[in-house]
Structures are given as C-alpha cells and as structure tokens.
Amino acid sequence: MSLSFAAPDDLTWSPDDAIAALHADPKFGVAFTDHMAEAIWTADGGWHDDAVAPYGPLDVNPASAVLHYAQEIFEGLKAYRHADGSVWLFRPDCNAERFANSARRLALPVLPEEDFVTSCLQIAETEARWVPDAGKNGEKSLYLRPFMIAYEDFLGVAPAKRVLYSVICSPVGPYFSGGVSAVRIWLERHNSRTAPGGTGAAKCGGNYAASLLAQEEAYAKGCSQVLFADAVEHAWVEELGGMNIFAVTKDKEIVTPVLTGTILPGVTRRSILGMAPDLGLTPVERRLGVDELLDGIRSGEFPEVFACGTAAVVTPIGSLVDESGETTVKEQAGEVTMAIRNRLLDIQYGRVEDTHGWLRRVC
Ligand SMILES: *Cc1c(COP(=O)(O)O)cnc(C)c1O
C-alpha cells in the first residue's frame, strides 16, 4: 500500500511577517520551515507512521547506528513559485529514482519511488506559504532535503533493522551570495572523494565527509570548490564535491564526463544534456582527461567550463588552479553557460513552456 504522508488538521505556522522576513534574503540551509515529512521503516513492519509533523529535533540515541557507521543517504530538490502563484517541483521522479539507487548501495530499505514523490508533494503543499516568490534575480525557492538514516540503537555492524525517512525544507536564495560570477576551482589530484566500487554514484553523507579536507585546502588557496580527478590514474575529470562539470567546445558541444560509477548522476546534469538540442548545442558524454581539459582551455578548444547542481544551478568556472599554477578560462560567465543557466531557470520558474514535461504541480 502506498504511503500518504497526510498532514493532521491542527497544524500551525509561523506568522506571515516572520516568513516574509526570512524570505527577504534567505541564506542556503540556515532557516527551516514549520513542518517536516517523516516515516519509519522496520524490518518486521515495513514502512509506516508516515505523516507531516511539526519540525523539531529527532530523538537519537547515542548508540544510533547512523552516528557510528554513516548508513545515510539524502536528496536535494526545490519547490519553485511561478508568477501566477502556483508552486512546482522539478523532476521529483528523478530524485526518487536516485534515492532508491542510493538506498540499494547503502543497504538501506528502498522507499518506493511514488512514496518519495508523495512525501515531497505533501510537504511542499503544507509549507506552500514558505515557498518564496522568485525575487528580482529569479533565484529564490524552497529547498527540500529528503534523507534516510539508520535509526537503530545497536553498535553491531549490520544494515539497520529500523530506519527513519524525513523531508525537511529551507527557503533559499542564490547559493553563491556574490551572484553569478566565475569561480576559481582547485584541481585535486591526491585526495579522492570516491573510487571504483565505492559509493560515488550514491548521494550519501560519507562522500561529502571524504571531500571536506580537499575543500578546506582549496579554500586556503583562494578557491571556492574542488574538482576531483579519478582515484586510480588521477588523470580523468570526475566532478566537484557537490556539482557535475561541463566543458563547452568552440563547436558548441557540451562535454561532460560519462557516468562510470564514481560520479553522482545529477538531475541538473541530466536536464542540461536533455535540453542541449533546444539551444543548438550537442550533448556529449565521454571520458575527459585532466590534461585535455587544461590544454583545451589554453588553446581555445574549451572557451567555457561550468559546474551544475540543484543548489547552485549553473556556475561558471573562471579558472582551474593546481600545483603548477592557474589556468584561466574566462573572467566572466560565458555566453553558452548563461544561455543554459537562463533556460533552466526559465523552465523551473514557468517563464517558458515546459516542453519536456519536467515540472510537477504542487498547488
Ligand atoms: C547532488 C550532487 C550533485 C548534483 O546533483 P543534482 O541532482 O543536479 O542536484 C553532483 N555531485 C554530487 C557529488 C552531488 O552530491
């Protein structure tokens, strides 16, 4: 039987002016809404206790398995308000599919994809007043963070027999507070975020934990993100800590590393590949060498490089930095990068026709 994540009748919300104040300049992932969706899974009883409930701390025992063995997965998607006031999700079915794949890799129970979508629709509808207007630069939204954790008080190493699923929500503005400017990226060849046979294709907290040291070192070198090379040869471009990467060729191809199991299959990546022909661009998925990328930037073969993900949408990469120095792509955002970025935002905010059928109406 499918889950309903039904909201009780007696919910209360923050005063409208308090919500409006938070909507004025929302920072990424700082403030949370009044409610959350949740469900419990047990080995004996399957999924149950699904509901929308007031937002608040979880009851986590210090022996809870997730705290020790990181059996955890998550997702990230946004609810967008269109000019007519309606609220929409962007391809929640893709997040549902990926969440199921992540669950399998982490030996967590699979939440049926339709139940995942229901949970997102329900919480987004409950929290509709928390979905901001797009705003002047058209980038405000309500970020949804579904996650699943091992929720069993047991220190033995085994897949948990009790699991918690929840969706929390946070009003967000542009991910990089400075607006759309080109970022410096540290090209990391030593620390790896994942390796063949590992969890790179799953969206799990452990991948992020593994990426933080390189991220810290990148900050110290004046870079804002890390581009990881493959863990075996350190010769192939993979992705950033939380974003996929594209290189634009002078012949209007957009090249992104092919999914090999060590790269997270981004919904934004998939959508950009899907809409490329609409913009007269040729989508290409193939292995991309680190040296090929650097040489191609210098020779003009790759006039633009950008990163993409739900949180930061499309972010132009201004330069790549490594031990041997800085390779500059462009000081500002390139034309193709901006065309893709604007097209994606136009679809998400309902400013152009959704020809691919990617939007799902909440209310
Ligand atoms: C979430 C994530 C992305 C981007 O995926 P989207 O579905 O586009 O948001 C890319 N890389 C990693 C490692 C991620 O965790």
Side-chain angles (χ1 to χ4, degrees), residues 10-361:
D10 57 354
L11 299 181
T12 58
W13 287 266
S14 301
D16 287 345
D17 53 350
I19 296 176
L22 282 167
H23 280 173
D25 183 22
K27 302 277 183 291
F28 186 85
V30 174
F32 298 92
T33 67
D34 296 304
H35 304 96
M36 58 205 237
E38 56 187 26
I40 294 289
W41 176 91
T42 53
D44 299 338
W47 288 105
H48 56 272
D49 284 349
D50 53 301
V52 164
Y55 181 89
L58 299 175
D59 181 12
V60 177
N61 188 295
S64 192
V66 65
L67 301 180
H68 303 272
Y69 307 126
Q71 198 191 6
E72 185 269 0
I73 56 172
F74 66 96
E75 272 300 326
L77 68 165
K78 287 171 170 174
Y80 305 88
R81 188 178 293 286
H82 290 188
D84 66 1
S86 58
V87 174
W88 304 74
L89 298 179
F90 183 72
R91 310 189 77 180
D93 50 311
C94 294
N95 298 92
E97 181 190 336
R98 185 170 68 191
F99 198 60
N101 288 335
S102 298
R104 286 182 198 101
R105 181 62 184 83
L106 274 285
L108 284 161
V110 169
L111 178 69
E113 293 177 29
E114 69 169 283
D115 293 332
F116 176 97
V117 173
T118 301
S119 69
C120 294
L121 290 169
Q122 281 291 347
I123 193 67
E125 186 173 1
T126 303
E127 304 299 65
R129 69 193 69 198
W130 277 98
V131 181
D133 289 333
K136 194 158 46 70
N137 301 323
E139 259 194 77
K140 291 183 192 173
S141 61
L142 187 67
Y143 184 79
L144 272 51
R145 168 53 62 88
F147 64 99
M148 192 192 293
I149 60 172
Y151 201 47
E152 185 184 7
D153 307 335
F154 174 51
L155 291 185
V157 179
K161 295 194 180 63
R162 186 160 183 267
V163 159
L164 174 112
Y165 169 70
S166 177
V167 189
I168 57 173
C169 312
S170 173
V172 296
Y175 190 80
F176 294 110
S177 43
V180 190
S181 50
V183 294
R184 289 178 90 207
I185 302 288
W186 175 254
L187 181 45
E188 178 64 51
R189 287 186 172 99
H190 305 289
N191 290 303
S192 303
R193 65 176 278 283
T194 178
T199 54
K203 206 167 175 74
C204 64
N207 291 344
Y208 279 73
S211 75
L212 294 179
L213 177 60
Q215 177 76 54
E216 278 296 286
E217 291 172 359
Y219 282 145
K221 293 176 175 108
C223 297
S224 58
Q225 292 277 318
V226 178
L227 173 59
F228 288 96
D230 77 288
V232 179
E233 297 175 65
H234 304 287
W236 303 97
V237 174
E238 294 212 316
E239 62 168 319
L240 281 66
M243 285 189 274
N244 296 113
I245 186 167
F246 278 86
V248 183
T249 72
K250 61 180 179 351
D251 303 321
K252 301 281 184 261
E253 285 179 353
I254 55 167
V255 181
T256 193
V258 65
L259 301 176
T260 52
T262 51
I263 294 175
L264 198 283
V267 177
T268 317
R269 173 189 181 281
R270 180 170 168 180
S271 304
I272 289 171
L273 289 169
M275 72 185 195
D278 307 347
L279 297 170
L281 302 167
T282 308
V284 179
E285 295 179 80
R286 65 168 169 87
R287 294 231 285 177
L288 177 63
V290 172
D291 289 337
E292 181 197 351
L293 179 64
L294 294 176
D295 291 346
I297 291 169
R298 288 189 207 104
S299 72
E301 177 62 25
F302 294 127
E304 298 179 36
V305 182
F306 64 86
C308 67
T310 298
V313 198
V314 168
T315 300
I317 294 180
S319 65
L320 294 172
V321 184
D322 65 7
E323 279 90 2
S324 68
E326 180 158 5
T327 306
T328 301
V329 189
K330 250 189 182 52
E331 304 287 333
Q332 277 108 29
E335 221 172 275
V336 174
T337 302
M338 286 312 284
I340 291 170
R341 181 186 164 84
N342 291 336
R343 180 73 180 188
L344 194 58
L345 288 169
D346 283 347
I347 295 172
Q348 290 167 337
Y349 286 97
R351 297 189 288 250
V352 296
E353 197 192 332
D354 173 26
T355 52
H356 297 275
W358 284 340
L359 295 178
R360 183 78 190 263
R361 186 162 186 160

